[in-house]
């Protein structure tokens, strides 16, 4: 299987859009990701994947904490901001929206669909990426009922049926 065909096939797998953040002695970090899923509910654990070649990778590993902020349907701009596509500094990315903290120092997006504040308990390196296994220490729900999804290289809104 070649990488180009694999990447194209993966565009057919719709996923929620997230901004994953960290803070601590190694510094502030944040990036957009769709590679997030639950692992187990006992203890509450999720995973996310991050490219090892990114300038923020070591910050996440060293800080040992992360917050997975699930974006609601009207936050495409925040996804673009944290994807790096706008070529703005990390500090400017964080200044664009409001943040607070839950249990760890990782920034929790004030207007997210839901935020999962986590301790990173394991990092497995697989090919070009690190797979971060994270135990959830706190959760905060936002008031929204619409999720921002990424499918076939485009953003879509998914709302619960009324």
């Amino acid at each position: 299987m070649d990488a180009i065909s694999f990447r194209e096939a993966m565009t057919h797998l719709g996923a929620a859009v997230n901004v994953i953040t960290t803070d601590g002695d190694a510094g502030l970090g944040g990036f957009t990701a769709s590679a997030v899923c639950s692992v187990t509910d006992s203890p509450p654990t999720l995973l996310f994947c991050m490219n090892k070649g990114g300038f923020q990778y070591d910050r996440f590993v060293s800080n040992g904490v992360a917050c997975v902020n699930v974006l609601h349907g009207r936050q495409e701009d925040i996804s673009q901001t944290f994807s790096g596509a706008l070529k703005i500094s990390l500090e400017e990315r964080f200044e664009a929206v409001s943040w607070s903290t839950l249990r760890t120092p990782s920034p929790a997006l004030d207007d997210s669909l839901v935020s999962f504040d986590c301790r990173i308990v394991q990092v497995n390196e697989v090919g070009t990426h690190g797979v971060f296994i994270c135990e959830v220490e706190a959760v905060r729900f936002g008031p929204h009922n619409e999720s921002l999804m990424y499918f076939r290289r485009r953003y879509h809104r998914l709302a619960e049926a009324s």
Side-chain angles (χ1 to χ4, degrees), residues 24-37:
D25 292 340
L28 187 63
F31 70 103
T32 299
S34 59
V36 175
C37 71

Side-chain angles (χ1 to χ4, degrees), residues 64-95:
V65 294
C67 189
V68 176
N69 298 282
V70 183
L71 300 184
H72 67 70
R74 292 171 304 283
Q75 291 181 314
E76 185 176 331
D77 59 331
I78 296 172
S79 173
Q80 289 293 325
T81 299
F82 279 86
S83 73
L86 303 180
K87 307 292 186 214
I88 62 174
S89 72
L90 192 57
E91 293 75 22
E92 290 173 299
R93 295 177 196 186
F94 278 94
E95 291 170 1

Side-chain angles (χ1 to χ4, degrees), residues 19-32 48 50 55-69 82 90-91 94 99-101 104-109 116-120 123 132 134:
V19 169
I20 304 176
T21 61
T22 191
D23 202 1
D25 292 340
L28 187 63
F31 70 103
T32 299
F48 68 85
M50 182 180 193
F55 75 95
Q56 300 183 70
Y57 183 81
D58 290 334
R59 291 180 188 189
F60 278 82
V61 172
S62 296
N63 285 340
V65 294
C67 189
V68 176
N69 298 282
F82 279 86
L90 192 57
E91 293 75 22
F94 278 94
W99 305 91
S100 55
T101 56
T104 77
S106 298
L109 181 61
F116 298 89
D117 195 24
C118 306
R119 293 238 173 251
I120 299 167
V123 181
F132 289 74
C134 306

Side-chain angles (χ1 to χ4, degrees), residues 136-151:
V136 179
E137 295 201 350
V139 174
R140 181 176 64 201
F141 297 93
H144 309 283
N145 66 350
E146 184 179 74
S147 181
L148 184 63
M149 304 295 290
Y150 199 68
F151 175 69

